[in-house]
Amino acid sequence: MLDDFMTRAALAGLGVALAAAPLGSFVVWRRMAYFGDATAHAAILGVALSLALQMPIFAGALAVALAMALTVTVLSGRGYAMDTLLGVLAHSALAFGLVAVSFLSGIRIDLMAYLFGDILAVSRSDLVVIWGGAVLVVGLMAWRWSALLTATLSEELAHASGIDPRREQLILTLALAITVAVAIKVVGVLLIAAMLIIPAAAARPLSRTPEQMALMAAAIGGLSAIAGLHAAYVFDTPAGPSIVCVAAILFLSTSVVRSLRA
């Protein structure tokens, strides 16, 4: 079954949707969209380092994405507006990554595959990495779910409950870095933030509880992956962007449903 490239692509898309769903819900609740974007943009520098040091792409992307997320966490609240800080770091990391790639002599690299994903080229070993990362992210979110919700609702309430908000922020940071590292092969660094935010935003009008929203986001993300792959096959369009386009259409649909209910 896994000899079929479309089957591998579908499984890869579902794995990324599973990882992105609960994390994307917190990104939406905490208004961390730019945070996710900055972390994803930094991953291209991790790709360059991985190729230069002959390391697995996952390891390099994870290390740099985690370093970027930690840097943002440390620098926030030190005299810089958050949107300015994220804008500087995100675009600087992407630029340095692209420049670093240009210095790699003797190594063939398809930049478009890393910028916009190459889900149709996913291998069996890639599937192991993607699903391993997805299980790890879901496990982290399930383990700290109540504490993360409390810290998201109110830092004062978290302190009163004996929860350290900064620790929960670090857990989110780690989960975000893992998600970026596993998703880079599927949708690329420029579209990872979209897969984090759009399914969760689409699920919000249909959900009454945080748990419902996370489950609905996973369903919408999975549906986007399957339908996007089918559209890419039928219309001969890029797979990664097609997946995001379907997610955007679903977001528009749920927004219309919400407006009709109002």
Side-chain angles (χ1 to χ4, degrees):
M1 181 181 71
L2 292 183
D3 290 333
D4 186 347
F5 74 97
M6 285 297 287
T7 301
R8 293 196 299 271
L11 289 173
L14 291 174
V16 169
L18 181 65
L23 182 59
S25 298
F26 282 103
V27 169
V28 170
W29 293 329
R30 287 173 171 247
R31 300 181 180 179
M32 293 170 57
Y34 282 127
F35 188 84
D37 210 27
T39 306
H41 278 50
I44 197 69
L45 181 57
V47 171
L49 292 175
S50 297
L51 294 173
L53 301 175
Q54 298 183 341
M55 297 165 48
I57 297 296
F58 172 80
L62 176 61
V64 175
L66 184 58
M68 169 62 79
L70 290 174
T71 300
V72 173
T73 301
V74 170
L75 292 180
S76 61
R78 298 200 175 185
Y80 297 99
M82 180 59 77
D83 58 343
T84 301
L85 179 64
L86 290 174
V88 169
L89 291 177
H91 295 97
S92 298
L94 180 60
F96 276 110
L98 294 175
V99 169
V101 167
S102 70
F103 283 107
L104 298 176
S105 59
I107 299 177
R108 295 184 60 187
I109 176 172
D110 182 6
L111 270 180
M112 294 295 288
Y114 291 108
L115 293 175
F116 297 102
D118 193 11
I119 190 173
L120 299 181
V122 167
S123 64
R124 293 189 180 195
S125 59
D126 291 329
L127 281 179
V128 172
V129 171
I130 290 169
W131 276 91
V135 170
L136 183 57
V137 169
V138 171
L140 275 173
M141 294 293 98
W143 173 48
R144 303 301 302 171
W145 184 261
S146 297
L148 285 168
L149 281 177
T150 303
T152 299
L153 181 63
S154 169
E155 288 193 3
E156 290 77 12
L157 180 60
H159 283 299
S161 303
I163 298 169
D164 184 359
R166 292 190 65 84
R167 180 185 61 197
E168 306 310 318
Q169 175 69 30
L170 287 174
I171 290 173
L172 279 178
T173 296
L174 175 60
L176 180 61
I178 295 171
T179 302
V180 166
V182 301
I184 191 171
K185 185 80 171 183
V186 177
V187 291
V189 298
L190 297 183
L191 299 175
I192 290 172
M195 284 304 291
L196 280 169
I197 299 164
I198 298 178
R204 196 169 193 171
L206 308 178
S207 310
R208 295 184 177 181
T209 66
E211 291 77 14
Q212 281 185 355
M213 182 168 162
L215 291 174
M216 285 295 299
I220 291 172
L223 178 60
S224 300
I226 301 300
L229 280 171
H230 179 71
Y233 180 79
V234 172
F235 299 108
D236 193 24
T237 54
S242 297
I243 291 171
V244 176
C245 286
V246 172
I249 292 171
L250 292 175
F251 168 73
L252 179 62
S253 301
T254 60
S255 298
V256 170
V257 170
R258 178 173 60 181
S259 64
L260 292 176
R261 286 179 177 178

